[in-house]
Amino acid sequence: MKNLMTLAFTLGSALLASSAQAQSCANDKLYLSANYEISQRVADSHTRHDSHTHEHAHDKGQSFNKQQLVLHRYNNQVVHMYPDSHYGDWWTKTANNRLMLNRFFPDNQRVIEYQADELSSKISWQSKYQLLNSDFINNMVVVKETGTGCEQSQQRALTQGDYSYQLTWLPKWSLVTSYQVFRGDEKVAQWQLVNYQVNKKHIADYIAKLSDYRATDYADIGDNENDPFLAKMINQGFVEHKATGFYNSQGDNISKQHSH
Amino acid sequence: MNSPWVTASALSTLLFSSVAASAVLPKVQTDNQWFSNAQQTVTNKTKQVNKSKAKNVILFVGDGMGVSTLTAARILDGQMKGNSGEEGYLSFEMFPYSAQVKTYNVDAQTPDSAGTMTAMMSGVKTDIGVLGVSEKAERGNCNSVAGNELVTALELAEIKGLATGVVSTARITHATPAAAYAKSADRNWEDVSDMPEEAVTQGCEDIASQLINFEKNLEARFPGVDVDGIEVAMGGGRRHFLPKDEAANSADAASSVEGDRTDGRNLVTEWQTQYPEGQYVMDQAGFDALDASSTSKVFGLFNESHMQYEADRANDIAGEPSLTQITTKAIDVLDNNDKGFMLVVESGRVDHGHHAGSAFNALTDTVEFAKAIQAAVDNTDPEETLILVTADHSHVFTIAGYPKRGNPILGKVVAVGETEPTLASDDMPYTTLGYTNGRGYRNLGDETNADATYNDDPVVGRQDLSQVDTQSSGYHQEALIPTSSETHAGEDVALHASGPGAHLSQGVIEQSVIFHIINKSLGLMANN
Ligand SMILES: [Zn+2]
């Protein structure tokens, strides 16, 4: 826990600096990029095709997958880029509050598109935007709170059955700074914010670049078996059950997923 | 051949044998409903009068609607109405004539829509993946198109002065509808951003642009000919007509930037400039507001990409018309032309339901397709309108095991006389419907969109279905071979025909014969 608090403190300072204009976090949080380091115990990670891209750190004899997650927010769009896996998910909240997903592959400059209605309506925007569903966060008990306004930081905790969860987050930024999952005393997963910045222009340019990639509707994959990229990429496994998110389609915790 | 196909002498022979039979056959046989119904069917056949000259032709194409799809959809349709299902007919299965159609492409045993629809529309079988060009063109090579362009039945109808229409639940630029109006070295060149720069430089025109420029391009290819353009074009695919600019977004845009075009052109406004009297619609409300009797031209783009599956249509942002509504409206507009019309109607998403391994979506779209065809029957004169219903190709979709009569078609096999599912040698139940390949088993509950299957890795092989509701909309059938998507199949498809010229649909035919049936019936070429 000590590490966490140090981090929270560091973030708090950064926050003070970046938001001298007091109330700006309400607007700034819409145009934010954040870097996370994700580590998951191998047995819990469910990685299948891309495990070779992960470092295997050994902690008390346990193997953890580690990978980076870059979160970008731009109004009704959120990008989750996984540099180690060479792909990213670009989510758009549509006018009728459903989600549309473009999965992009920067190495190939290709995009595979999910129309909004093709995704389970149970996938929540919050789970993309702030990495955790608000319901889940609200269920957690506030353990400690520091700062006010844009600098407010909360520690929250929850125990459900064998699992317990510890969260540190910045409510006014809807930003997770640290999130840990324990099974009994064992830590099985952790998401750690490394740094973040607000840069509207930078994110706009980044999204514009993604929109220049060649796009294919998922529904058209069957008629494009001769396209080697599509034939390969579609077999990667998609959207909801990747190790790189800590939610499943219900926005529940990773420890409950993979019932099939 | 204008005369009825049963001659008077043959008829008397038939009548005689029928009388003779009633004398020797036991009452248990002749009183049997199957017997008398079948006898009536043959009697009706003998009374058929064939006409050859059609005023209008409607070509219905169920994309990927193979014969097993017809059978299963027929049963599902009946069961949804509370019947056993097997004894029913989809609307077009009541048509008097049918043929069996060979679907292969010139270079492919199992075909795709581009090659097959080109054959139907032009009378020329061609390669997989190319549109409106002969096999001499090379897929993806723009320069190979020149000189190999084919003329389609729709173009000939246009030149003859008929009203013309193309509608689909897929993108209107998708292979099947596009084969009616476009020439392209690649089916995927739906807009300029989908084309290699080389192809653009060499002067090839993207498919969406060809739809908008149909009139101009046709007149350029036939100097001296004056046509008035396609009267009705409706479907999905708005992205290919709009510039990549947020300002051009439609009210129901899902993407942040709806348009894909990188040449800055807005083809919707170009169409509106070209046809100031025309009506552009993009949602259910706009569609409903169309006054067919006073509208001469309609352009409808109801979705950024494909339109919704029928079962999922209620989830659309701005609302979409059903294929039945679209077909009815199209006929209402086209029949304003006294010379007649030619309409192509594609049910584009039967194919996608199958690709996703969802019998539910494939079949419910097929049932809706049958409704659309019934609407066409109801809104046209059978004396003057040839209606053809076919598919471009099949899918690896099977109806298997020994389920008892009336067993739910989406259910598990329950044998004759049994109430519990039959167990396979692995002691697990199995469904009647299945796929040879694809992404395989899914249990997505009440999900109504088959494409949700792409969320997960393929799951092939046997699953324990004992606790699974395989009749739910979100159930995807088991598959044997893992592929990124379930594939087309290579067996023949059916052609059903009604109206003048329908009797030309007989026997086992190449897909290219369909063009000639249309041509013969409409008299598209002067020397026919
Ligand atoms: Zn297909």
Side-chain angles (χ1 to χ4, degrees):
Chain A
M1 285 314 285
K2 191 165 186 186
N3 272 350
L4 264 180
M5 291 171 67
T6 310
L7 181 91
F9 176 75
T10 311
L11 284 165
S13 312
L15 205 54
L16 268 172
S18 72
S19 61
Q21 317 91 321
Q23 299 309 316
S24 70
C25 57
N27 186 55
D28 281 352
K29 75 173 190 178
L30 303 173
Y31 311 104
L32 171 146
S33 296
N35 282 295
Y36 286 88
E37 186 175 87
I38 304 172
S39 37
Q40 287 177 278
R41 215 180 62 178
V42 169
D44 297 285
S45 70
H46 309 288
T47 48
R48 283 156 296 199
H49 302 283
D50 52 358
S51 57
H52 62 281
T53 61
H54 302 153
E55 288 175 44
H56 288 253
H58 291 269
D59 180 7
K60 290 177 190 168
Q62 286 177 348
S63 179
F64 280 80
N65 281 330
K66 286 197 173 179
Q67 72 167 320
Q68 306 300 309
L69 161 64
V70 189
L71 168 77
H72 300 286
R73 293 176 185 163
Y74 194 82
N75 288 323
N76 62 333
Q77 299 175 74
V78 166
V79 175
H80 291 181
M81 174 65 204
Y82 306 102
D84 305 305
S85 300
H86 303 272
Y87 82 93
D89 286 341
W90 168 22
W91 301 88
T92 302
K93 186 167 67 161
T94 68
N96 63 347
N97 285 319
R98 293 193 74 164
L99 295 192
M100 174 172 177
L101 169 65
N102 287 354
R103 172 157 293 182
F104 59 95
F105 300 86
D107 300 351
N108 307 74
Q109 306 210 353
R110 294 282 297 263
V111 167
I112 300 179
E113 301 181 330
Y114 250 111
Q115 299 308 305
D117 49 282
E118 290 166 4
L119 290 164
S120 162
S121 52
K122 292 166 191 151
I123 301 178
S124 86
W125 170 245
Q126 291 160 344
S127 71
K128 308 303 166 194
Y129 189 80
Q130 62 189 26
L131 304 182
L132 282 178
N133 269 350
S134 294
D135 286 351
F136 179 74
I137 294 172
N138 292 339
N139 270 339
M140 300 179 91
V141 176
V142 178
V143 176
K144 187 176 176 185
E145 193 167 294
T146 57
T148 54
C150 289
E151 292 92 47
Q152 185 190 19
S153 173
Q154 285 183 339
Q155 284 176 40
R156 288 174 173 254
L158 179 71
T159 300
Q160 281 179 338
D162 292 348
Y163 287 88
S164 59
Y165 312 97
Q166 293 183 359
L167 168 72
T168 308
W169 96 306
L170 310 174
K172 293 295 189 298
W173 291 81
S174 302
L175 190 68
V176 171
T177 53
S178 171
Y179 177 69
Q180 295 173 304
V181 181
F182 297 86
R183 185 190 292 130
D185 292 337
E186 284 178 319
K187 182 157 76 180
V188 294
Q190 173 172 297
W191 278 256
Q192 187 68 60
L193 179 66
V194 179
N195 54 43
Y196 71 98
Q197 62 166 334
V198 175
N199 190 335
K200 189 174 176 178
K201 169 86 169 65
H202 176 80
I203 304 170
D205 290 349
Y206 179 73
I207 287 178
K209 199 174 68 185
L210 298 183
S211 72
D212 285 339
Y213 290 174
R214 190 176 145 205
T216 305
D217 188 326
Y218 278 65
D220 293 316
I221 284 163
D223 292 323
N224 287 284
E225 287 283 339
N226 60 337
D227 181 325
F229 165 79
L230 292 179
K232 180 164 149 256
M233 287 309 163
I234 192 64
N235 285 325
Q236 268 211 342
F238 278 85
V239 193
E240 292 168 24
H241 297 299
K242 295 298 284 188
T244 43
F246 47 87
Y247 38 75
N248 63 9
S249 56
Q250 281 74 45
D252 289 338
N253 193 272
I254 190 167
S255 58
K256 288 184 184 170
Q257 77 179 58
H258 269 271
S259 49
H260 66 250
Chain B
M1 194 170 89
N2 270 328
S3 61
W5 61 271
V6 178
T7 63
S9 62
L11 190 65
S12 60
T13 310
L14 198 84
L15 287 173
F16 171 75
S17 54
S18 153
V19 170
S22 63
V24 293
L25 293 180
K27 215 169 147 46
V28 61
Q29 190 168 358
T30 53
D31 283 357
N32 184 291
Q33 194 82 58
W34 294 108
F35 187 91
S36 51
N37 286 356
Q39 191 174 36
Q40 188 59 48
T41 301
V42 173
T43 305
N44 293 347
K45 288 277 180 200
T46 66
K47 291 175 182 159
Q48 251 161 230
V49 177
N50 298 318
K51 291 183 67 175
S52 292
K53 289 298 167 203
K55 178 183 176 190
N56 316 306
V57 170
I58 309 177
L59 174 63
F60 283 95
V61 181
D63 198 320
M65 191 183 69
V67 171
S68 55
T69 305
L70 296 183
T71 307
R74 171 203 303 160
I75 296 172
L76 181 65
D77 186 39
Q79 292 181 343
M80 289 190 301
K81 293 169 179 158
N83 305 322
S84 295
E86 297 85 356
E87 65 291 330
Y89 294 89
L90 295 170
S91 59
F92 52 93
E93 293 181 319
M94 311 276 272
F95 286 3
Y97 290 98
S98 66
Q100 204 175 309
V101 183
K102 295 156 71 178
T103 65
Y104 64 97
N105 294 138
V106 170
D107 61 347
Q109 196 165 58
T110 296
D112 87 326
S113 307
T116 52
M117 190 60 174
T118 297
M120 288 188 250
M121 292 307 297
S122 70
V124 176
K125 277 207 178 219
T126 189
D127 286 347
I128 196 164
V130 301
L131 285 176
V133 295
S134 81
E135 66 185 279
K136 287 188 179 136
E138 183 195 344
R139 182 169 188 179
N141 179 352
C142 167
N143 274 340
S144 70
V145 167
N148 294 313
E149 297 97 335
L150 304 166
V151 180
T152 68
L154 193 91
E155 291 168 322
L156 290 172
E158 182 71 26
I159 290 170
K160 199 177 150 70
L162 305 190
T164 53
V166 184
V167 302
S168 175
T169 50
R171 294 188 298 269
I172 198 68
T173 48
H174 205 237
T176 308
Y181 62 82
K183 331 285 169 200
S184 181
D186 197 307
R187 59 178 284 165
N188 289 330
W189 292 356
E190 292 182 61
D191 75 63
V192 68
S193 73
D194 300 322
M195 298 171 67
E197 213 158 292
E198 189 188 50
V200 179
T201 315
Q202 288 170 358
C204 281
E205 186 180 8
D206 64 82
I207 293 166
S209 180
Q210 289 190 53
L211 177 61
I212 299 305
N213 289 334
F214 179 81
E215 178 180 348
K216 202 178 358 176
N217 291 347
L218 190 58
E219 288 173 349
R221 288 212 312 283
F222 293 89
V225 161
D226 181 24
V227 297
D228 61 359
I230 293 174
E231 273 73 15
V232 177
M234 289 190 277
R238 210 156 52 214
R239 58 164 65 163
H240 300 301
F241 295 85
L242 299 177
K244 193 172 194 159
D245 175 359
E246 198 175 341
N249 279 5
S250 309
D252 75 340
S255 309
S256 299
V257 180
E258 194 180 23
D260 278 358
R261 298 196 68 87
T262 46
D263 57 4
R265 290 173 63 194
N266 184 325
L267 301 187
V268 170
T269 52
E270 283 186 25
W271 183 87
Q272 286 169 320
T273 307
Q274 213 180 134
Y275 303 111
E277 76 284 12
Q279 300 280 321
Y280 170 73
V281 291
M282 49 72 65
D283 58 11
Q284 181 84 53
F287 176 87
D288 291 342
L290 284 172
D291 176 11
S293 60
S294 65
T295 303
S296 56
K297 279 201 168 59
V298 181
F299 186 27
L301 296 173
F302 303 109
N303 204 302
E304 249 177 81
S305 187
H306 303 295
M307 291 177 66
Q308 314 289 358
Y309 289 108
E310 175 59 20
D312 201 40
R313 199 159 55 84
N315 290 326
D316 189 64
I317 299 176
E320 292 181 353
S322 68
L323 188 58
T324 303
Q325 293 172 324
I326 291 175
T327 303
T328 306
K329 189 80 81 178
I331 292 169
D332 272 2
V333 173
L334 293 173
D335 66 10
N336 297 339
N337 184 324
D338 292 337
K339 287 184 174 173
F341 65 83
M342 166 147 191
L343 171 63
V344 175
V345 181
E346 186 207 24
S347 174
R349 308 219 64 199
V350 175
D351 186 57
H352 296 151
H354 279 322
H355 278 309
S358 163
F360 177 85
N361 276 112
L363 299 181
T364 46
D365 264 37
T366 302
V367 170
E368 171 60 21
F369 188 45
K371 284 185 193 152
I373 295 157
Q374 184 59 48
V377 170
D378 295 341
N379 287 286
T380 53
D381 180 351
E383 294 292 310
E384 58 184 28
T385 304
L386 169 64
I387 300 180
L388 299 170
V389 182
T390 188
D392 45 1
H393 56 74
S394 179
H395 274 269
V396 294
F397 175 61
T398 55
I399 304 172
Y402 298 101
K404 62 183 176 183
R405 174 78 186 275
N407 197 51
I409 189 66
L410 293 167
K412 298 162 199 164
V413 170
V414 177
V416 178
E418 302 293 331
T419 52
E420 290 302 310
T422 304
L423 300 183
S425 308
D426 56 11
D427 284 335
M428 295 193 287
Y430 55 100
T431 54
T432 306
L433 302 178
Y435 291 98
T436 304
N437 59 31
R439 303 185 75 76
Y441 166 80
R442 302 282 189 258
N443 183 16
L444 304 179
D446 60 0
E447 175 62 60
T448 48
N449 188 324
D451 300 346
T453 191
Y454 297 104
N455 283 357
D456 290 302
D457 291 342
V459 177
V460 291
R462 290 284 285 144
Q463 306 294 318
D464 185 356
L465 304 178
S466 27
Q467 303 305 316
V468 175
D469 176 10
T470 65
Q471 296 184 62
S472 66
S473 57
Y475 179 77
H476 292 230
Q477 286 69 20
E478 292 164 304
L480 174 63
I481 301 162
T483 49
S484 50
S485 175
E486 183 267 3
T487 73
H488 299 173
E491 84 272 6
D492 300 347
V493 295
L495 167 65
H496 293 87
S498 150
H503 60 284
L504 303 174
S505 302
Q506 290 186 23
V508 180
I509 59 174
E510 295 286 1
Q511 220 150 17
S512 43
V513 171
I514 292 173
F515 166 86
H516 293 279
I517 295 173
I518 297 169
N519 175 45
K520 191 88 181 163
S521 308
L522 281 180
L524 292 176
M525 292 188 293
N527 56 354
N528 259 273

Short mmCIF file of all heavy atoms in Angstrom, two decimals, chain B residues 362-393:
data_model
loop_
_atom_site.label_atom_id
_atom_site.label_comp_id
_atom_site.label_asym_id
_atom_site.label_seq_id
_atom_site.Cartn_x
_atom_site.Cartn_y
_atom_site.Cartn_z
N ALA B 362 -29.72 -15.93 -40.33
CA ALA B 362 -29.83 -16.29 -41.74
C ALA B 362 -31.28 -16.64 -42.08
O ALA B 362 -31.81 -16.23 -43.11
CB ALA B 362 -28.91 -17.46 -42.07
N LEU B 363 -31.92 -17.39 -41.19
CA LEU B 363 -33.28 -17.85 -41.49
C LEU B 363 -34.31 -16.75 -41.31
O LEU B 363 -35.25 -16.63 -42.10
CB LEU B 363 -33.63 -19.06 -40.61
CG LEU B 363 -32.73 -20.30 -40.81
CD1 LEU B 363 -33.19 -21.44 -39.91
CD2 LEU B 363 -32.71 -20.74 -42.27
N THR B 364 -34.16 -15.93 -40.27
CA THR B 364 -35.15 -14.86 -40.08
C THR B 364 -35.03 -13.83 -41.21
O THR B 364 -36.04 -13.24 -41.62
CB THR B 364 -35.04 -14.19 -38.70
OG1 THR B 364 -33.66 -13.91 -38.43
CG2 THR B 364 -35.55 -15.11 -37.60
N ASP B 365 -33.84 -13.63 -41.73
CA ASP B 365 -33.72 -12.75 -42.90
C ASP B 365 -34.31 -13.41 -44.15
O ASP B 365 -34.87 -12.72 -45.00
CB ASP B 365 -32.25 -12.35 -43.15
CG ASP B 365 -31.92 -10.99 -42.54
OD1 ASP B 365 -32.45 -10.70 -41.45
OD2 ASP B 365 -31.15 -10.21 -43.15
N THR B 366 -34.21 -14.73 -44.25
CA THR B 366 -34.82 -15.43 -45.38
C THR B 366 -36.34 -15.34 -45.33
O THR B 366 -37.01 -15.13 -46.34
CB THR B 366 -34.37 -16.91 -45.40
OG1 THR B 366 -32.94 -16.95 -45.47
CG2 THR B 366 -34.95 -17.64 -46.60
N VAL B 367 -36.89 -15.46 -44.12
CA VAL B 367 -38.34 -15.35 -43.95
C VAL B 367 -38.81 -13.95 -44.36
O VAL B 367 -39.82 -13.78 -45.05
CB VAL B 367 -38.76 -15.69 -42.49
CG1 VAL B 367 -40.22 -15.33 -42.24
CG2 VAL B 367 -38.50 -17.17 -42.21
N GLU B 368 -38.05 -12.93 -43.95
CA GLU B 368 -38.40 -11.56 -44.35
C GLU B 368 -38.30 -11.39 -45.87
O GLU B 368 -39.12 -10.71 -46.50
CB GLU B 368 -37.48 -10.56 -43.64
CG GLU B 368 -37.58 -9.11 -44.12
CD GLU B 368 -38.98 -8.49 -43.97
OE1 GLU B 368 -39.77 -9.01 -43.16
OE2 GLU B 368 -39.25 -7.50 -44.68
N PHE B 369 -37.29 -12.04 -46.45
CA PHE B 369 -37.12 -12.00 -47.91
C PHE B 369 -38.36 -12.58 -48.59
O PHE B 369 -38.88 -12.02 -49.56
CB PHE B 369 -35.87 -12.81 -48.26
CG PHE B 369 -35.42 -12.71 -49.70
CD1 PHE B 369 -35.37 -11.50 -50.36
CD2 PHE B 369 -35.02 -13.86 -50.38
CE1 PHE B 369 -34.93 -11.42 -51.69
CE2 PHE B 369 -34.57 -13.79 -51.69
CZ PHE B 369 -34.53 -12.58 -52.35
N ALA B 370 -38.85 -13.70 -48.06
CA ALA B 370 -40.04 -14.33 -48.63
C ALA B 370 -41.25 -13.39 -48.53
O ALA B 370 -42.10 -13.35 -49.43
CB ALA B 370 -40.33 -15.65 -47.92
N LYS B 371 -41.29 -12.62 -47.45
CA LYS B 371 -42.38 -11.64 -47.31
C LYS B 371 -42.26 -10.55 -48.37
O LYS B 371 -43.27 -10.09 -48.92
CB LYS B 371 -42.34 -11.00 -45.91
CG LYS B 371 -42.87 -11.88 -44.82
CD LYS B 371 -42.90 -11.11 -43.48
CE LYS B 371 -43.12 -12.05 -42.32
NZ LYS B 371 -42.54 -11.55 -41.07
N ALA B 372 -41.03 -10.13 -48.60
CA ALA B 372 -40.81 -9.08 -49.61
C ALA B 372 -41.26 -9.59 -50.99
O ALA B 372 -41.85 -8.84 -51.77
CB ALA B 372 -39.33 -8.68 -49.65
N ILE B 373 -41.00 -10.85 -51.25
CA ILE B 373 -41.39 -11.43 -52.54
C ILE B 373 -42.92 -11.52 -52.63
O ILE B 373 -43.52 -11.22 -53.67
CB ILE B 373 -40.71 -12.80 -52.74
CG1 ILE B 373 -39.19 -12.59 -52.84
CG2 ILE B 373 -41.25 -13.51 -53.98
CD1 ILE B 373 -38.36 -13.79 -52.49
N GLN B 374 -43.55 -11.88 -51.52
CA GLN B 374 -45.01 -11.92 -51.51
C GLN B 374 -45.57 -10.52 -51.78
O GLN B 374 -46.55 -10.36 -52.52
CB GLN B 374 -45.52 -12.45 -50.16
CG GLN B 374 -47.03 -12.61 -50.09
CD GLN B 374 -47.56 -13.57 -51.16
OE1 GLN B 374 -47.02 -14.67 -51.34
NE2 GLN B 374 -48.59 -13.16 -51.91
N ALA B 375 -44.92 -9.52 -51.20
CA ALA B 375 -45.36 -8.14 -51.43
C ALA B 375 -45.24 -7.79 -52.91
O ALA B 375 -46.11 -7.09 -53.47
CB ALA B 375 -44.54 -7.17 -50.59
N ALA B 376 -44.20 -8.28 -53.56
CA ALA B 376 -44.04 -8.03 -54.99
C ALA B 376 -45.14 -8.72 -55.78
O ALA B 376 -45.71 -8.15 -56.73
CB ALA B 376 -42.67 -8.51 -55.45
N VAL B 377 -45.47 -9.94 -55.38
CA VAL B 377 -46.55 -10.68 -56.04
C VAL B 377 -47.86 -9.90 -55.88
O VAL B 377 -48.62 -9.72 -56.84
CB VAL B 377 -46.69 -12.10 -55.44
CG1 VAL B 377 -47.95 -12.78 -55.94
CG2 VAL B 377 -45.45 -12.93 -55.76
N ASP B 378 -48.09 -9.41 -54.67
CA ASP B 378 -49.34 -8.72 -54.37
C ASP B 378 -49.46 -7.37 -55.08
O ASP B 378 -50.57 -6.86 -55.27
CB ASP B 378 -49.48 -8.48 -52.86
CG ASP B 378 -49.60 -9.78 -52.08
OD1 ASP B 378 -49.92 -10.81 -52.71
OD2 ASP B 378 -49.34 -9.77 -50.86
N ASN B 379 -48.32 -6.78 -55.42
CA ASN B 379 -48.35 -5.43 -55.97
C ASN B 379 -48.05 -5.37 -57.46
O ASN B 379 -47.77 -4.29 -57.99
CB ASN B 379 -47.35 -4.53 -55.21
CG ASN B 379 -47.87 -4.19 -53.82
OD1 ASN B 379 -48.78 -3.39 -53.67
ND2 ASN B 379 -47.32 -4.85 -52.82
N THR B 380 -48.06 -6.52 -58.12
CA THR B 380 -47.83 -6.54 -59.56
C THR B 380 -48.87 -7.45 -60.22
O THR B 380 -49.50 -8.26 -59.55
CB THR B 380 -46.42 -7.07 -59.90
OG1 THR B 380 -46.25 -8.35 -59.26
CG2 THR B 380 -45.33 -6.12 -59.44
N ASP B 381 -48.99 -7.29 -61.52
CA ASP B 381 -49.92 -8.11 -62.29
C ASP B 381 -49.18 -9.35 -62.79
O ASP B 381 -48.21 -9.23 -63.53
CB ASP B 381 -50.44 -7.27 -63.47
CG ASP B 381 -51.41 -8.04 -64.35
OD1 ASP B 381 -51.56 -9.27 -64.14
OD2 ASP B 381 -52.00 -7.41 -65.25
N PRO B 382 -49.63 -10.55 -62.37
CA PRO B 382 -48.92 -11.76 -62.77
C PRO B 382 -48.90 -11.97 -64.29
O PRO B 382 -48.07 -12.70 -64.81
CB PRO B 382 -49.71 -12.88 -62.07
CG PRO B 382 -51.03 -12.29 -61.72
CD PRO B 382 -50.79 -10.83 -61.53
N GLU B 383 -49.81 -11.31 -64.98
CA GLU B 383 -49.84 -11.43 -66.44
C GLU B 383 -48.70 -10.68 -67.11
O GLU B 383 -48.37 -10.94 -68.26
CB GLU B 383 -51.18 -10.89 -66.98
CG GLU B 383 -52.40 -11.68 -66.55
CD GLU B 383 -52.41 -13.08 -67.19
OE1 GLU B 383 -52.24 -13.16 -68.42
OE2 GLU B 383 -52.58 -14.07 -66.45
N GLU B 384 -48.14 -9.72 -66.38
CA GLU B 384 -47.13 -8.89 -67.06
C GLU B 384 -45.80 -8.80 -66.32
O GLU B 384 -44.86 -8.18 -66.80
CB GLU B 384 -47.68 -7.49 -67.32
CG GLU B 384 -48.14 -6.74 -66.08
CD GLU B 384 -48.75 -5.38 -66.41
OE1 GLU B 384 -49.30 -5.24 -67.52
OE2 GLU B 384 -48.66 -4.47 -65.57
N THR B 385 -45.70 -9.42 -65.15
CA THR B 385 -44.46 -9.29 -64.38
C THR B 385 -43.80 -10.64 -64.15
O THR B 385 -44.38 -11.54 -63.54
CB THR B 385 -44.74 -8.61 -63.03
OG1 THR B 385 -45.37 -7.35 -63.27
CG2 THR B 385 -43.44 -8.38 -62.26
N LEU B 386 -42.59 -10.76 -64.65
CA LEU B 386 -41.79 -11.96 -64.40
C LEU B 386 -41.05 -11.76 -63.08
O LEU B 386 -40.33 -10.77 -62.92
CB LEU B 386 -40.78 -12.18 -65.53
CG LEU B 386 -39.70 -13.24 -65.29
CD1 LEU B 386 -40.30 -14.64 -65.13
CD2 LEU B 386 -38.66 -13.23 -66.41
N ILE B 387 -41.28 -12.66 -62.15
CA ILE B 387 -40.56 -12.60 -60.87
C ILE B 387 -39.64 -13.81 -60.78
O ILE B 387 -40.08 -14.96 -60.88
CB ILE B 387 -41.53 -12.57 -59.67
CG1 ILE B 387 -42.43 -11.33 -59.77
CG2 ILE B 387 -40.75 -12.55 -58.36
CD1 ILE B 387 -43.43 -11.20 -58.62
N LEU B 388 -38.37 -13.54 -60.65
CA LEU B 388 -37.37 -14.59 -60.50
C LEU B 388 -36.79 -14.51 -59.10
O LEU B 388 -36.46 -13.41 -58.62
CB LEU B 388 -36.23 -14.40 -61.52
CG LEU B 388 -36.62 -14.45 -63.01
CD1 LEU B 388 -35.44 -14.00 -63.87
CD2 LEU B 388 -37.06 -15.86 -63.39
N VAL B 389 -36.67 -15.64 -58.45
CA VAL B 389 -36.09 -15.67 -57.10
C VAL B 389 -34.97 -16.70 -57.09
O VAL B 389 -35.19 -17.87 -57.40
CB VAL B 389 -37.13 -16.05 -56.03
CG1 VAL B 389 -36.49 -16.02 -54.64
CG2 VAL B 389 -38.34 -15.13 -56.09
N THR B 390 -33.79 -16.25 -56.75
CA THR B 390 -32.66 -17.18 -56.74
C THR B 390 -31.66 -16.76 -55.67
O THR B 390 -31.92 -15.89 -54.85
CB THR B 390 -32.02 -17.24 -58.15
OG1 THR B 390 -31.05 -18.29 -58.19
CG2 THR B 390 -31.35 -15.93 -58.52
N ALA B 391 -30.52 -17.43 -55.68
CA ALA B 391 -29.44 -17.10 -54.76
C ALA B 391 -28.17 -17.02 -55.60
O ALA B 391 -28.12 -17.54 -56.71
CB ALA B 391 -29.29 -18.18 -53.69
N ASP B 392 -27.17 -16.37 -55.07
CA ASP B 392 -25.91 -16.32 -55.81
C ASP B 392 -25.06 -17.56 -55.51
O ASP B 392 -24.33 -18.04 -56.35
CB ASP B 392 -25.14 -15.02 -55.52
CG ASP B 392 -25.12 -14.67 -54.04
OD1 ASP B 392 -25.67 -15.42 -53.21
OD2 ASP B 392 -24.54 -13.62 -53.71
N HIS B 393 -25.20 -18.06 -54.28
CA HIS B 393 -24.42 -19.24 -53.89
C HIS B 393 -25.00 -19.78 -52.60
O HIS B 393 -25.88 -19.16 -52.00
CB HIS B 393 -22.94 -18.90 -53.71
CG HIS B 393 -22.73 -17.79 -52.72
ND1 HIS B 393 -22.88 -17.96 -51.36
CD2 HIS B 393 -22.46 -16.47 -52.90
CE1 HIS B 393 -22.69 -16.80 -50.76
NE2 HIS B 393 -22.44 -15.87 -51.66
#
